[in-house]
Amino acid sequence: MCGIVGYVGHRQALDVVVDGLRRLEYRGYDSAGVAVVTGPGTLAVERKAGRLANLENRLDEVGRGEFAGTAGMGHTRWATHGPPVDRNAHPHRDATGRVAVVHNGIIENFAALRAELEADGVELTSDTDTETVAHLVGRAYAEGPTKGDLPASLRAVCHRLSGAFTLVVTHVDEPDMIVAARRSSPLVVGVGEGETFVASDVAAFIEYTRDAVELGQDQVITIDRDGYLVTDFDGEEAQTRPFHVDWDLSAAEKGGHEYFMLKEIEEQPTALADTLRGHFVDGRIVLDEQRMTDQDLRDVDKVFVVACGSAYHSGLVAKYAIEHWTRLPVEVELASEFRYRDPVLDRATLVVAVSQSGETADTLEAVRHARDQKARVLAVCNTNGAQIPRESDAVLYTHAGPEIGVASTKAFLAQIAANLMVGLALAQARGTKYSDEVAREFAELAAMPAAVAKVLGTVERVRELGRSLADSKAVLFLGRHVGYPVALEGALKLKELAYMHAEGFAAGELKHGPIALIEEGLPVVIVMPSPKGRAVLHAKMVSNISEIQARGARTIVLAEEGDETVRPFADELIEIPAVPTLLQPLVATVPLQVLSAEIARARGYDVDKPRNLAKSVTVE
Ligand code: M6R
């Protein structure tokens, strides 16, 4: 959470930084701030609680001319320490006002550092952990062995910090450089012509350059207009990995849509096609990176999928396929629970870590725990070079492109496709599927972008339905088999976007308690299994619907085209194309995304930036 951007070059830093913050606002929107070195000895800082727009208004009031300078940095905050008020907004300065710091992460020993500073008579002006760093860097630069050396000062301070952090630091006496440090939180470098950038995400600088460099753990970088120098925390020059970003500015812009999320819903056929592309070569499924042998894959005797939120739901979908195709036991676990319950892991365990951002703290810690126990880790990730794939033994990237809307849509569908390819890779390695069977399954997957496009062509009716549900108090979602994770995902979307009470249930569980919730007019969304693919479950589901209809529920039924049996039980019928059973979540999820977005819009909420949330959750 929190987005940070730093710039040194030939342009006005304020413009670059504010544009960058606009593209990073998905990471947090509790407050925003900027600092620009306006000359030797002068630093202009402005910060404001609330959305970036508040800061921009403030900059207009003050006059943007006050921020003339070619080195600067900015921050958009998701509050951890201290409420989202002006005084807690970044950048934070030291007592002299000569150093400014922005930060993403949590400094876990900040209370001790704060007490130490206060004992020395330093007056802290915010509730944040970040401010302690500004004071410590200011002191290290002013006196002692690192005097007058900003990178060395930051390195010395990093040795004193525990927790996760990306820090970007500027000092009035170093007007042509910005220094940054990274431990566990993300930071990428953008390398342009006579200009250099650092940011939480390449989206911040994609307008200027697509040449990027991935920083490693515990590294400090100094940027100026001619380039960058990276060292470890001890000052030894360190290795970095350059990469070229394979999408451009248009992908990070709304392209005429009211919200990013609406654009991202429409991009799903492309996201699926791009994710599948290049992974079935010469009759075999291939991963992107494999630092484990084929024998390791053959030796796997148990699979865990660990993830959070929507990524977790994508794992639940995959469980049905991986068990069916490989006959391996698969457990799907919330990453936040995984390492605290002592799971049984060994060399023959494959842990599949699914994360759009690749930086979710719970998932990252689950990966570390798994590796400590000698399990192999395979990452499914949408962000090139993020920490989770870096720390994994194998990687399959989803190519959904940048997902800016906080609610996951195209990344979720791409995760399902990638997880299914992991299942096929295991089936092929273990010989539980013949090559022609793997080819057939892959061909069915490859037909899904067209099926999703077909669904998108029919969602106008779902939008109308959404508007009619805007005043509902609650909505329930029911599914069976692969429809169950779809129900969970539908409920999550509605909660996070429309702030409406929503619950997803396995329909078979209904009679064990949840049916007590049914009352006159309560909307219940039902994801029907295919009448051909899962006839037995279909029949059971029809009974479930009639049970709730008899108790007054308003039934909204998602059913396969041509499913006439269910029609009499549907107050509202949403038809989806007939697809293979295990792939149905790819088409069934789409109307639910549209439904939630439309309910949220009708209720007047910002669909891209739901309250209290941030896109990347980098704290546990
Ligand atoms: O970046 P990740 O995939 O690790 O994120 C996991 C969850 O935080 C994420 O899916 C979250 O649940 C979304 N807001 C759901 O729409």
Side-chain angles (χ1 to χ4, degrees):
M1 9 261 277
C2 298
I4 55 186
V5 54
Y7 174 77
V8 187
H10 49 81
R11 303 172 204 269
Q12 283 302 312
L14 184 69
D15 298 339
V16 176
V17 165
V18 171
D19 278 353
L21 290 182
R22 203 167 294 124
R23 286 191 211 106
L24 294 182
E25 215 187 355
Y26 71 87
R27 302 180 65 87
Y29 28 86
D30 287 337
S31 66
V34 290
V36 177
V37 184
T38 47
T42 55
L43 187 65
V45 176
E46 197 56 65
R47 47 201 198 144
K48 212 68 205 133
R51 302 266 166 114
L52 179 62
N54 295 359
L55 175 72
E56 293 202 74
N57 291 340
R58 179 72 192 140
L59 291 170
D60 291 338
E61 274 163 36
V62 175
R64 293 189 183 224
E66 298 299 309
F67 293 80
T70 54
M73 62 191 196
H75 186 269
T76 176
R77 177 171 188 244
W78 187 85
T80 56
H81 293 75
V85 293
D86 287 356
R87 74 167 186 286
N88 290 329
H90 301 213
H92 290 280
R93 279 163 288 183
D94 74 337
T96 67
R98 301 176 74 73
V99 177
V101 175
V102 296
H103 167 218
N104 173 28
I106 289 188
I107 313 253
E108 285 169 2
N109 58 335
F110 96 101
L113 297 171
R114 195 177 170 101
E116 177 189 314
L117 287 163
E118 282 172 344
D120 283 354
V122 176
E123 209 171 297
L124 287 110
T125 57
S126 76
D127 313 310
T128 66
D129 48 348
T130 310
E131 191 189 346
T132 57
V133 177
H135 292 288
L136 292 172
V137 172
R139 286 169 155 209
Y141 186 85
E143 62 198 19
T146 56
K147 182 173 176 185
D149 184 337
L150 192 57
S153 300
L154 181 57
R155 284 194 291 266
V157 171
C158 287
H159 275 297
R160 302 207 52 205
L161 307 178
S162 56
F165 51 84
T166 296
L167 295 159
V168 180
V169 179
T170 186
H171 195 293
V172 290
D173 293 342
E174 306 283 1
D176 301 319
M177 76 161 63
I178 296 269
V179 184
R182 160 166 204 244
R183 170 180 287 166
S184 284
S185 299
L187 189 70
V188 282
V189 187
V191 185
E193 288 283 321
E195 56 188 348
T196 315
F197 310 75
V198 283
S200 309
D201 177 343
V202 292
F205 53 72
I206 195 74
E207 186 175 353
Y208 309 104
T209 180
R210 290 164 71 182
D211 291 321
V213 177
E214 178 190 316
L215 284 193
Q217 274 286 74
D218 287 8
Q219 293 184 342
V220 166
I221 179 166
T222 306
I223 63 166
D224 59 27
R225 57 172 66 199
D226 297 325
Y228 62 93
L229 176 71
V230 181
T231 69
D232 61 21
F233 283 178
D234 295 322
E236 295 297 322
E237 202 165 326
Q239 292 299 313
T240 53
R241 190 181 74 90
F243 64 99
H244 188 72
V245 184
D246 59 6
W247 46 268
D248 61 14
L249 180 64
S250 62
E253 304 231 298
K254 286 187 199 154
H257 290 78
E258 185 188 356
Y259 288 107
F260 278 108
M261 183 189 169
L262 306 182
K263 171 174 171 255
E264 288 158 4
I265 288 174
E266 301 225 331
E267 286 171 344
Q268 294 186 106
T270 312
L272 278 177
D274 289 350
T275 297
L276 296 171
R277 186 168 300 118
H279 287 295
F280 190 63
V281 182
D282 296 335
R284 292 188 67 76
I285 299 285
V286 287
L287 305 175
D288 285 305
E289 293 170 21
Q290 197 172 325
R291 297 177 278 274
M292 59 199 278
T293 63
D294 285 348
Q295 187 59 44
D296 292 333
L297 274 184
R298 271 192 285 283
D299 289 344
V300 168
D301 66 8
K302 176 174 48 175
V303 178
F304 281 97
V305 183
V306 292
C308 306
S310 294
Y312 167 73
H313 297 155
S314 82
L316 290 175
V317 171
K319 175 185 165 86
Y320 295 87
I322 302 178
E323 288 187 337
H324 185 61
W325 290 339
T326 67
R327 310 311 301 144
L328 285 169
V330 180
E331 285 189 42
V332 187
E333 183 133 4
L334 292 168
S336 53
E337 291 293 320
F338 179 71
R339 75 183 171 121
Y340 296 108
R341 69 160 182 86
D342 208 7
V344 180
L345 303 166
D346 58 32
R347 280 176 196 287
T349 311
L350 181 71
V351 172
V352 181
V354 186
S355 173
Q356 185 283 131
S357 60
E359 56 179 274
T360 299
D362 291 312
T363 312
L364 178 58
E365 291 306 328
V367 165
R368 289 176 174 162
H369 180 74
R371 284 178 58 96
D372 284 349
Q373 308 292 309
K374 307 286 182 258
R376 315 279 173 182
V377 176
L378 189 160
V380 170
C381 181
N382 196 43
T383 313
N384 195 315
Q387 199 59 27
I388 289 170
R390 284 170 69 92
E391 296 193 19
S392 299
D393 301 295
V395 187
L396 186 51
Y397 282 108
T398 50
H399 289 275
E403 190 177 68
I404 313 280
V406 164
S408 188
T409 52
K410 61 176 179 171
F412 173 69
L413 257 58
Q415 283 165 347
I416 294 177
N419 295 347
L420 295 179
M421 285 195 282
V422 170
L424 290 178
L426 281 167
Q428 139 190 301
R430 295 168 52 77
T432 51
K433 272 203 172 292
Y434 298 121
S435 307
D436 56 336
E437 292 173 319
V438 173
R440 232 176 0 252
E441 299 291 356
F442 188 85
E444 286 182 343
L445 253 179
M448 293 312 288
V452 171
K454 188 171 175 197
V455 177
L456 287 168
T458 63
V459 288
E460 198 41 55
R461 168 77 198 104
V462 178
R463 289 201 182 96
E464 272 172 38
L465 177 62
R467 291 191 283 277
S468 79
L469 294 175
D471 293 327
S472 305
K473 294 272 174 299
V475 179
L476 301 187
F477 292 77
L478 302 180
R480 277 180 184 260
H481 193 254
V482 289
Y484 171 45
V486 174
L488 295 178
E489 176 65 7
L492 175 62
K493 289 281 96 75
L494 192 56
K495 279 183 249 203
E496 70 179 331
L497 293 171
Y499 320 148
M500 194 185 270
H501 182 67
E503 291 296 333
F505 295 108
E509 272 295 291
L510 207 62
K511 290 199 274 293
H512 301 282
I515 200 163
L517 292 169
I518 306 291
E519 58 188 20
E520 196 59 38
L522 179 80
V524 182
V525 177
I526 299 115
V527 184
M528 283 300 288
S530 160
K532 294 181 223 93
R534 305 294 292 165
V536 175
L537 289 185
H538 184 273
K540 291 188 193 303
M541 201 67 157
V542 169
S543 307
N544 295 145
I545 304 178
S546 71
E547 285 153 14
I548 56 171
Q549 218 179 22
R551 287 162 177 81
R554 178 180 175 195
T555 58
I556 300 162
V557 179
L558 253 83
E560 199 172 285
E561 284 163 353
D563 181 351
E564 292 305 323
T565 338
V566 82
R567 201 174 276 279
F569 301 93
D571 295 323
E572 308 284 346
L573 184 66
I574 302 171
E575 291 191 303
I576 51 177
V579 298
T581 296
L582 291 168
L583 305 186
Q584 196 207 40
L586 292 167
V587 287
T589 305
V590 177
L592 302 188
Q593 297 166 340
V594 173
L595 188 75
S596 297
E598 200 56 36
I599 295 176
R601 286 176 72 210
R603 286 162 78 101
Y605 299 141
D606 182 336
V607 171
D608 282 338
K609 301 190 191 80
R611 71 183 178 203
N612 303 335
L613 290 174
K615 182 81 183 157
S616 308
V617 184
T618 55
V619 292
E620 276 191 74

